[in-house]
Amino acid sequence: MAAVGGQSAQGGGTGRESAPIEFRDAVEALTGARLRPEVRLSPQPAPRRLAPYTFAIAASIEVDGEELADGTLVLLHDPSAPEAWNGDFRVVTMSRAELEPEMAGDPLLSEVGWSWLLDALQAQAAGYAEPSGTVTRCHSQYFGALAERGASTEIELRASWTPADRRFERHLAAWADLLCVCAGLPPTTPAPPVAEPGALGGVVPMPARRRPRNSH
């Protein structure tokens, strides 16, 4: 299992020890989490302007020495509980992976990508509220000196949600599962149907391209 590492920051520039106990407990829950072995974690500078207290980590999915997906997770804490959050914590994530080029024209790709996130949260029993995000697909065709790379299709999912519980390790595990599904790996547990109106449930993951993403 992979252990978590990350970095925290707060607007005042002081150390984590001066942060509210709720934030310190949340960071401890994240750093104490254990994830599936394909997940590789690394420190990530925490943004200072999104909330008074923040914590960030980066992750990549590696199989047989190949990177299949990567992303970042940021935990925000604002004791004033902004109305838009509907809570005092907010999870912000970015996940991306390269897919098979022929998937670019699939009209349901965006909906399926969003359902992967909701399925992962439900599979980990991570309660959430106020979910929002975007799913972007990018098809690249290379020319000239880059023509030998061939075409590539990348999916990028940016999402945020408010944890409806204090089981932050479950939210981290759900995000890690999302990265694995984007990379084409099977989920560790079967995902139940998604209860959110309009969301897709029980979607079979689309296969990802099992090779490193092209460098640009």
Side-chain angles (χ1 to χ4, degrees):
M1 295 294 182
V4 176
Q7 295 183 7
S8 61
Q10 59 186 98
T14 56
R16 187 188 304 171
E17 64 277 1
S18 64
I21 184 63
E22 295 85 358
F23 178 72
R24 286 181 281 148
D25 287 346
V27 172
E28 183 177 354
L30 292 178
T31 56
R34 293 294 181 268
L35 308 175
R36 53 193 294 179
E38 298 91 347
V39 182
R40 301 288 187 269
L41 297 153
S42 59
Q44 178 78 4
R48 295 178 176 271
R49 298 183 179 181
L50 299 180
Y53 306 94
T54 61
F55 176 79
I57 55 176
S60 63
I61 306 303
E62 297 181 14
V63 176
D64 297 330
E66 296 184 351
E67 181 179 308
L68 305 179
D70 61 42
T72 58
L73 180 146
V74 180
L75 179 67
L76 310 179
H77 177 54
D78 188 339
S80 70
E83 183 178 354
W85 291 9
N86 192 24
D88 57 350
F89 281 94
R90 188 77 175 170
V91 176
V92 180
T93 65
M94 186 278 290
S95 311
R96 62 184 177 184
E98 187 176 332
L99 306 173
E100 293 292 349
E102 57 267 22
M103 294 176 60
D106 192 318
L108 293 179
L109 178 60
S110 296
E111 288 82 357
V112 169
W114 182 250
S115 77
W116 290 342
L117 169 64
L118 303 184
D119 285 348
L121 288 168
Q122 289 211 348
Q124 291 291 343
Y128 64 93
E130 308 297 335
S132 64
T134 61
V135 179
T136 304
R137 51 183 168 180
C138 178
H139 180 73
S140 299
Q141 183 73 43
Y142 299 94
F143 299 94
L146 301 178
E148 62 182 16
R149 294 184 180 180
S152 66
T153 303
E154 185 177 83
I155 185 172
E156 180 179 277
L157 196 160
R158 294 180 179 269
S160 65
W161 64 91
T162 297
D165 51 41
R166 299 295 168 133
R167 303 298 300 271
F168 296 100
E169 69 280 2
R170 294 186 179 183
H171 295 265
L172 175 62
W175 175 66
D177 285 347
L178 168 65
L179 281 174
C180 289
V181 172
C182 288
L185 303 181
T188 54
T189 57
V194 175
E196 182 181 356
L200 300 178
V203 179
V204 177
M206 292 183 177
R209 177 176 295 275
R210 296 182 61 82
R211 61 177 173 82
R213 295 183 300 106
N214 291 323
S215 58
H216 300 283

mmCIF file of all heavy atoms in Angstrom, residues 25 44 104 113 198-199 210:
data_model
loop_
_atom_site.group_PDB
_atom_site.id
_atom_site.type_symbol
_atom_site.label_atom_id
_atom_site.label_comp_id
_atom_site.label_asym_id
_atom_site.label_seq_id
_atom_site.Cartn_x
_atom_site.Cartn_y
_atom_site.Cartn_z
ATOM 1 N N ASP A 25 -6.515 17.582 12.145
ATOM 2 C CA ASP A 25 -7.044 16.208 12.161
ATOM 3 C C ASP A 25 -7.293 15.715 10.736
ATOM 4 O O ASP A 25 -7.040 14.540 10.424
ATOM 5 C CB ASP A 25 -8.343 16.153 12.958
ATOM 6 C CG ASP A 25 -8.125 16.269 14.456
ATOM 7 O OD1 ASP A 25 -6.959 16.133 14.896
ATOM 8 O OD2 ASP A 25 -9.114 16.502 15.175
ATOM 9 N N GLN A 44 3.183 18.165 -2.930
ATOM 10 C CA GLN A 44 2.680 19.177 -3.850
ATOM 11 C C GLN A 44 2.524 20.486 -3.091
ATOM 12 O O GLN A 44 1.901 20.516 -2.020
ATOM 13 C CB GLN A 44 1.327 18.745 -4.420
ATOM 14 C CG GLN A 44 0.677 19.741 -5.352
ATOM 15 C CD GLN A 44 1.282 19.724 -6.743
ATOM 16 O OE1 GLN A 44 2.151 18.906 -7.020
ATOM 17 N NE2 GLN A 44 0.849 20.620 -7.604
ATOM 18 N N ALA A 104 -12.341 9.368 -28.781
ATOM 19 C CA ALA A 104 -12.548 10.817 -28.822
ATOM 20 C C ALA A 104 -13.948 11.192 -29.295
ATOM 21 O O ALA A 104 -14.532 12.174 -28.848
ATOM 22 C CB ALA A 104 -11.501 11.471 -29.720
ATOM 23 N N GLY A 113 -17.184 9.838 -17.730
ATOM 24 C CA GLY A 113 -16.075 10.295 -16.896
ATOM 25 C C GLY A 113 -16.552 10.864 -15.570
ATOM 26 O O GLY A 113 -15.976 10.594 -14.517
ATOM 27 N N GLY A 198 -29.861 12.303 -12.419
ATOM 28 C CA GLY A 198 -29.215 12.615 -13.686
ATOM 29 C C GLY A 198 -27.846 12.001 -13.857
ATOM 30 O O GLY A 198 -27.253 12.104 -14.927
ATOM 31 N N ALA A 199 -27.301 11.363 -12.817
ATOM 32 C CA ALA A 199 -25.969 10.790 -12.931
ATOM 33 C C ALA A 199 -26.061 9.366 -13.450
ATOM 34 O O ALA A 199 -27.072 8.690 -13.293
ATOM 35 C CB ALA A 199 -25.260 10.812 -11.581
ATOM 36 N N ARG A 210 -2.504 1.957 -22.245
ATOM 37 C CA ARG A 210 -1.544 1.507 -21.255
ATOM 38 C C ARG A 210 -0.116 1.815 -21.706
ATOM 39 O O ARG A 210 0.671 0.957 -22.056
ATOM 40 C CB ARG A 210 -1.703 0.026 -20.976
ATOM 41 C CG ARG A 210 -3.044 -0.323 -20.361
ATOM 42 C CD ARG A 210 -3.146 -1.782 -20.052
ATOM 43 N NE ARG A 210 -2.120 -2.190 -19.079
ATOM 44 C CZ ARG A 210 -2.241 -2.035 -17.774
ATOM 45 N NH1 ARG A 210 -3.335 -1.500 -17.266
ATOM 46 N NH2 ARG A 210 -1.284 -2.417 -16.953
#
